[in-house]
Amino acid sequence: NFLSPEQFFQRFNIYGRRKQALRADVKPNLGQGAVLHDLLRCDAVLEGIDALAVKGPLSRVTLLSLATDAMSLAPALLNSVATLQSVGGKDGPLTLQQLNALPPDASIELNTSMMEFHLGSLSNGQGSRQFDMPVGQWACSSGGGLAVAKARHETVYPDLMACTECIKRAAATGAKIVCQPTCPWDTCNFASGVVCDKCKAVGVTSTKPLARPCSSCVRLIERGGLPKNCRVCFRRCAVFLASDCESRELALMQQRDLACCPGVLTRGVPDIVHLLKSIRSAMYWWWLCFQGHLVCLRLLMVLRASSDAALHSALMAAVHAATLRNKDPDVAEIAQISSRSRRDVAEISSRSSRDLAEI
């Protein structure tokens, strides 16, 4: 009954979405962060479509939107040793030997969620082609707040925005990507917009981050590693960061420094799909129609914690707290109730769909 990582993502991924949460070429030591060859493929696609871009004498910066999406790993961690070996605990992937060596009562903090990063193009006019593709992943536990989300963002985001030359060099050498649109000699005056003589000598004409090559490319041009007077620095800039509106993601989107680079603006926006899903959840999963009665699951939680001993005992015996907290319709108790009231649930669902259409 064990599921491989790929089988798990095929089974538990969001219905109607293409298979994307786990790449076919992911190795057992699942890497955190950007998938470099996907970023290079993204650049290759951008060259062939009319995506919105800022072009300078030596650089081209394509304006994109960055979206993150999370899915639960908990079912697979319970059913698949292979997934546990790939995603592992908070301190890293677990080998089969490590798993077998664990005592029966061992406590492990597991990565219970997989965050995936998508880059999507902004159109440059009528008829221009658009695309979106996954370019990174991040396995994490469900704990932590803004500090956890910000640390993840500051680790992954700069790699996703790095230029093609820096990515190729990192992929070839395994070195950390360092790609910033700054002056490699720290002699340009960015506050007053004055380009230094060394940068001018290689063709740099602006201090604006989106209109100049990164410092690594400037160095390569100066040393003869890249040609002068032609566009050599191709990179991406996320104008929007879209995510769901759970507390830590919402706190991240409200930060002012999402671009991780002075002079570049990345604005956090709520993802409309998640907003609609939240409205649907509020109207559908949090409410249950049972034998003609509309029941609020949160109200049952309040009653379950009642100081009335008789009421508390009756609800403790009738339903688990996890069932009332879990909005998953596949939970056994909710599925059992729903099967006896499918017509009523369908009626509530159709009403909520009409309300959503009005919204």
Side-chain angles (χ1 to χ4, degrees), residues 188-195 207:
C188 287
N189 191 329
F190 287 87
S192 58
V194 178
V195 180
T207 57

Side-chain angles (χ1 to χ4, degrees), residues 248-322:
R248 70 179 178 185
E249 302 306 321
L250 181 60
L252 174 66
M253 287 190 293
Q254 291 172 335
Q255 299 298 299
R256 294 181 179 272
D257 56 348
L258 288 174
C260 302
C261 175
V264 179
L265 178 65
T266 297
R267 180 69 69 188
V269 295
D271 181 40
I272 189 62
V273 174
H274 283 93
L275 284 180
L276 291 175
K277 187 176 73 172
S278 297
I279 296 173
R280 181 180 183 275
S281 296
M283 303 183 72
Y284 189 65
W285 299 134
W286 291 93
W287 294 88
L288 195 65
C289 194
F290 181 59
Q291 295 182 354
H293 298 281
L294 191 62
V295 180
C296 176
L297 299 185
R298 301 305 291 173
L299 180 58
L300 290 181
M301 279 292 289
V302 174
L303 294 176
R304 197 174 185 275
S306 173
S307 58
D308 185 324
L311 180 59
H312 175 70
S313 299
L315 279 167
M316 286 278 287
V319 64
H320 296 296

Side-chain angles (χ1 to χ4, degrees), residues 332-353:
E333 292 179 70
I334 290 182
Q336 185 178 5
I337 295 173
S338 296
S339 65
R340 285 179 284 166
S341 57
R342 198 170 300 277
R343 291 181 182 176
D344 290 338
V345 171
E347 182 183 349
I348 294 294
S349 177
S350 64
R351 286 206 298 268
S352 66
S353 297

Side-chain angles (χ1 to χ4, degrees), residues 37-318:
H37 61 264
D38 278 350
L39 285 171
L40 294 176
R41 191 160 55 123
C42 175
D43 284 342
V45 173
L46 290 173
E47 288 184 16
I49 67 174
D50 191 20
L52 198 62
V54 177
K55 300 176 183 178
L58 303 177
S59 63
R60 171 191 167 112
V61 181
T62 306
L63 304 182
L64 301 165
S65 63
L66 174 64
T68 62
D69 197 7
M71 61 174 296
S72 172
L73 292 170
L77 294 175
L78 297 175
N79 294 289
S80 174
V81 172
T83 303
L84 188 57
Q85 287 179 252
S86 292
V87 180
K90 188 176 180 181
D91 296 326
L94 300 167
T95 65
L96 192 57
Q97 289 76 12
Q98 288 174 317
L99 290 172
N100 290 332
L102 291 173
D105 58 347
S107 177
I108 311 173
E109 188 172 4
L110 296 174
N111 290 317
T112 55
S113 134
M114 174 71 80
M115 184 73 70
E116 188 175 43
F117 300 85
H118 294 253
L119 283 178
S121 64
L122 300 180
S123 63
N124 198 26
Q126 189 173 7
S128 63
R129 289 180 290 170
Q130 297 183 2
F131 82 105
D132 76 275
M133 62 180 292
V135 290
Q137 65 272 316
W138 187 267
C140 56
S141 63
S142 56
L146 172 61
V148 172
K150 198 168 182 179
R152 180 197 71 221
H153 178 74
E154 291 175 351
T155 302
V156 180
Y157 184 87
D159 290 351
L160 296 179
M161 301 299 114
C163 78
T164 302
E165 287 296 327
C166 289
I167 291 173
K168 287 179 179 178
R169 192 160 57 252
T173 63
K176 178 178 173 57
I177 297 176
V178 180
C179 183
Q180 289 288 337
T182 56
C183 175
W185 302 282
D186 293 326
T187 50
C188 287
N189 191 329
F190 287 87
S192 58
V194 178
V195 180
C196 71
D197 292 337
K198 287 187 176 181
C199 285
K200 285 181 180 178
V202 297
V204 179
T205 60
S206 175
T207 57
K208 294 180 180 179
L210 296 184
R212 62 179 290 142
C214 72
S215 58
S216 298
C217 285
V218 172
R219 282 278 195 186
L220 285 172
I221 295 171
E222 188 235 358
R223 294 170 182 169
L226 288 174
K228 290 185 179 181
N229 304 319
C230 63
R231 199 166 285 138
V232 293
C233 187
F234 297 90
R235 62 185 190 274
R236 298 148 303 285
C237 176
V239 181
F240 302 110
L241 170 63
S243 187
D244 59 28
C245 293
E246 294 183 7
S247 56
R248 70 179 178 185
E249 302 306 321
L250 181 60
L252 174 66
M253 287 190 293
Q254 291 172 335
Q255 299 298 299
R256 294 181 179 272
D257 56 348
L258 288 174
C260 302
C261 175
V264 179
L265 178 65
T266 297
R267 180 69 69 188
V269 295
D271 181 40
I272 189 62
V273 174
H274 283 93
L275 284 180
L276 291 175
K277 187 176 73 172
S278 297
I279 296 173
R280 181 180 183 275
S281 296
M283 303 183 72
Y284 189 65
W285 299 134
W286 291 93
W287 294 88
L288 195 65
C289 194
F290 181 59
Q291 295 182 354
H293 298 281
L294 191 62
V295 180
C296 176
L297 299 185
R298 301 305 291 173
L299 180 58
L300 290 181
M301 279 292 289
V302 174
L303 294 176
R304 197 174 185 275
S306 173
S307 58
D308 185 324
L311 180 59
H312 175 70
S313 299
L315 279 167
M316 286 278 287

